[in-house]
Each structure stands twice: as structure tokens, then as C-alpha cells.
């Protein structure tokens, strides 16, 4: 089983973060957790109650500006740098948003089979290419993107969901170097976390590397609610889920195919936490 580092971009709510940490300790014990809080946040590490497993939690002392839809990859890069500086022994890094919650055990065994996990949709090559707001010429033509693509020898970038992407330590170190060479440690005007990791993932696939999908299910781009029934199906991994995509949204990567067995987390708004708790409790009672 691999040692995992969860990189979390927290939203400033101690309660939400405590839930994330508790779920990680429950379903992936022994994992490291590195938390980034945006510049200007009033959050302090001491605001999170010290649970039994929280000695594996590291709060990044560097707080960078975060703006919606303008990129948070620099926060994950900073978390990675902090983890390396702390000499943490991990094999893979998993990128979590503030809403991601683990739903079952076995992630460390699953990630061992792949070098990376990310959705890869090629610019101008999918049905939603003209609809997804991130596929814009100005992103492709920006100086930072041009330099990033030149380092990979690619003419176009790819896109994908941000939640639940994972990378080997070696691959993310490569991504970190390319990011630092191409972009500043600040918002870049587009969601870097949805573009740069998938683009690297695409390049790795071209070179014969075994890559997977993200491990987080999200309904952000679909016309569906995550009910207790959906959560139960995600946890068992049986069958497939179907729903229409929202207009001007990226294709929901885990819908319409029998890939739920590869889902280990769910992106869940805070007001749906009770549903998650009920399903997790039912599985324990069963």
C-alpha cells in the first residue's frame, strides 16, 4: 500500500476541515495531510480539534491569494513544497478541494496501479469544447501557457475536473518545476488546477504511462443531486450513474460508464454532510 499525501485547499471553515481530516484518518489511516489557507483567512491550525490521528496534519505557513475560477494550483504546489521541506515520506499526492470527502478504504492500493489520475479532455476536440468556459483562445495564447506547452512539446492543452487528481511524487515534482518556470504563485486568470495537471497527464499517456481517472466523484457539472442512494452506490462501486451535463460545463467524467469502483471520494457541499454520515454509518452497521 502506498503512502499518500492529501493536499487540501481549505475554505476557512474549521468544521468542514475537521470532517475531511476525520474521513481521511478513517479510510486512509497513516496518510499525510497538508492544508493551505488563502491569504486573508482568519483560520488558525488550532481551530481544528486535535483528533487521535491529527499528528499527520501539517498546516502550510505560506498563504497565497485565491480567487474563484482564476487558479489554485499554486496552493497545491506550495503544499507539495512544504511537505518536501518537512521530509514527509509519501508516494502519491492527492489534490482535494474543500468539499472532498473519502467514502471507502483501499485508495493506497488503487493508486499503486497508476502513475497519475486525471481527466483529460483535449482543447477543441470534444463536444463541450465550444461550451466549456475554460476552453478559451486567450488561455491558449497566454505567455505562461505557451511556455508550459513548449516544455512538453504540445500544441494544445487539455482540461479536466480538479477534484481527486493524483500524481506520483516524481511526476508532481516535474509539474511543480514546470509551473514555477511558467506561472507566478498567484491566480493566473483561469483555473490552472483544471488545465495544467490534465495537460501533463495527456503527455504522460502519449509516452506510454498508465494513467487513471480522478478518484473523486463530483456532480458540479451534472444535473443531479447527490442523495443517500447515490452515495451508497458510489461506496459499493456497483453499476453506473447517468445524468445530463449542465450547459457550458465540462463532461462529468464518472457518469455514463461502469467506473464507480474506481471512485474513492465525493465532492459534497457542507449542507449534504448528514447524508454522507448516514450512509457511512449504515455501512458500518451492515
Amino acid at each position: 500500500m502506498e503512502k499518500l499525501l492529501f493536499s487540501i485547499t481549505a475554505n476557512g471553515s474549521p468544521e468542514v476541515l475537521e470532517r475531511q481530516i476525520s474521513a481521511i484518518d478513517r479510510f486512509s489511516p497513516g496518510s499525510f495531510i497538508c492544508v493551505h489557507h488563502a491569504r486573508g483567512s482568519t483560520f488558525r491550525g488550532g481551530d481544528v480539534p486535535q483528533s487521535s490521528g491529527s499528528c499527520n496534519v501539517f498546516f502550510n505557513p505560506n498563504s497565497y491569494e485565491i480567487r474563484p475560477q482564476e487558479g489554485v494550483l499554486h496552493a497545491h504546489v506550495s503544499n507539495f513544497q512544504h511537505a518536501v521541506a518537512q521530509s514527509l515520506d509519501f508516494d502519491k499526492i492527492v489534490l482535494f478541494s474543500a468539499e472532498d470527502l473519502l467514502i471507502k478504504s483501499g485508495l493506497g492500493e488503487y493508486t499503486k496501479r497508476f502513475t497519475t489520475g486525471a481527466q483529460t479532455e483535449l482543447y477543441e476536440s470534444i463536444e463541450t469544447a465550444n461550451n466549456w468556459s475554460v476552453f478559451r483562445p486567450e488561455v491558449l495564447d497566454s505567455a505562461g501557457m505557451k511556455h508550459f506547452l513548449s516544455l512538453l512539446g504540445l500544441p494544445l492543452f487539455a482540461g479536466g475536473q480538479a477534484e481527486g487528481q493524483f500524481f506520483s511524487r516524481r511526476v508532481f515534482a516535474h509539474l511543480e518545476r514546470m509551473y514555477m518556470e511558467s506561472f507566478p504563485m498567484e491566480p493566473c486568470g483561469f483555473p490552472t488546477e483544471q488545465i495544467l495537471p490534465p495537460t501533463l497527464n495527456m503527455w504522460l499517456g502519449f509516452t506510454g504511462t498508465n494513467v487513471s481517472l480522478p478518484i473523486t466523484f463530483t456532480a458540479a457539472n451534472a444535473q443531479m443531486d447527490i442523495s443517500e442512494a447515490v452515495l451508497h452506490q458510489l461506496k459499493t462501486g456497483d453499476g453506473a450513474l447517468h445524468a445530463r451535463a449542465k450547459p457550458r460545463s465540462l463532461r462529468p467524467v464518472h457518469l455514463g460508464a461502469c467506473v464507480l469502483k474506481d471512485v474513492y471520494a465525493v465532492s459534497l457541499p457542507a449542507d449534504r454532510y448528514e447524508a454522507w454520515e448516514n450512509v457511512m454509518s449504515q455501512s458500518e452497521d451492515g
Side-chain angles (χ1 to χ4, degrees):
M1 184 174 69
E2 291 192 316
K3 293 277 287 185
L4 303 178
L5 168 68
F6 289 86
S7 173
I8 298 176
T9 52
N11 66 0
S13 168
E15 182 181 26
V16 170
L17 181 58
E18 181 187 6
R19 292 170 181 171
Q20 286 188 289
I21 293 172
S22 177
I24 292 171
D25 286 341
R26 177 178 181 178
F27 293 116
S28 188
S31 297
F32 297 111
I33 303 166
C34 192
V35 181
H36 174 274
H37 278 279
R39 179 180 299 166
S41 170
T42 59
F43 178 90
R44 297 292 181 270
D47 294 338
V48 177
Q50 296 297 301
S51 61
S52 58
S54 60
C55 61
N56 58 347
V57 181
F58 296 81
F59 291 94
N60 189 342
N62 300 304
S63 294
Y64 292 97
E65 184 178 5
I66 299 293
R67 293 197 297 267
Q69 297 301 308
E70 294 194 24
V72 300
L73 185 59
H74 59 293
H76 290 299
V77 165
S78 181
N79 278 351
F80 177 80
Q81 292 171 337
H82 182 61
V84 171
Q86 297 299 307
S87 300
L88 302 186
D89 180 21
F90 62 94
D91 302 300
K92 293 285 198 317
I93 179 172
V94 183
L95 309 188
F96 262 20
S97 73
E99 296 185 340
D100 291 12
L101 286 168
L102 285 182
I103 57 172
K104 61 186 180 184
S105 304
L107 180 57
E109 290 292 341
Y110 175 76
T111 59
K112 192 174 183 179
R113 297 162 46 196
F114 304 97
T115 301
T116 68
Q119 182 181 8
T120 302
E121 308 286 354
L122 182 61
Y123 178 75
E124 289 188 337
S125 185
I126 61 172
E127 293 180 0
T128 55
N130 295 323
N131 297 322
W132 189 38
S133 59
V134 180
F135 279 167
R136 312 192 300 268
E138 58 266 32
V139 175
L140 181 64
D141 293 336
S142 66
M145 181 60 71
K146 285 184 175 180
H147 185 74
F148 185 86
L149 292 175
S150 73
L151 296 175
L152 296 172
L154 295 175
L156 297 171
F157 62 77
Q161 73 172 56
E163 301 88 348
Q165 299 178 103
F166 67 88
F167 304 87
S168 72
R169 180 169 180 156
R170 177 184 59 81
V171 167
F172 200 86
H174 185 47
L175 178 61
E176 175 217 2
R177 289 191 295 270
M178 290 193 300
Y179 183 91
M180 298 295 290
E181 189 174 326
S182 305
F183 299 96
M185 294 292 279
E186 60 187 32
C188 297
F190 67 95
T192 48
E193 71 282 3
Q194 290 185 282
I195 295 295
L196 304 184
T199 300
L200 177 58
N201 200 57
M202 177 175 66
W203 178 83
L204 289 168
F206 284 149
T207 62
T209 301
N210 289 328
V211 300
S212 176
L213 296 177
I215 58 94
T216 296
F217 178 90
T218 175
N221 297 329
Q223 297 181 39
M224 69 177 299
D225 294 322
I226 300 183
S227 62
E228 289 190 21
V230 169
L231 285 168
H232 179 74
Q233 190 170 353
L234 291 174
K235 186 168 178 61
T236 62
D238 296 329
L241 291 170
H242 301 268
R244 292 180 177 178
K246 292 179 180 177
R248 295 184 57 79
S249 295
L250 187 68
R251 180 181 69 88
V253 69
H254 292 111
L255 293 182
C258 294
V259 295
L260 302 185
K261 65 182 184 304
D262 299 333
V263 170
Y264 287 82
V266 61
S267 183
L268 203 64
D271 61 3
R272 298 297 298 147
Y273 176 72
E274 185 177 349
W276 177 91
E277 195 170 40
N278 288 341
V279 172
M280 299 307 113
S281 299
Q282 291 168 11
S283 63
E284 285 184 349
D285 294 342

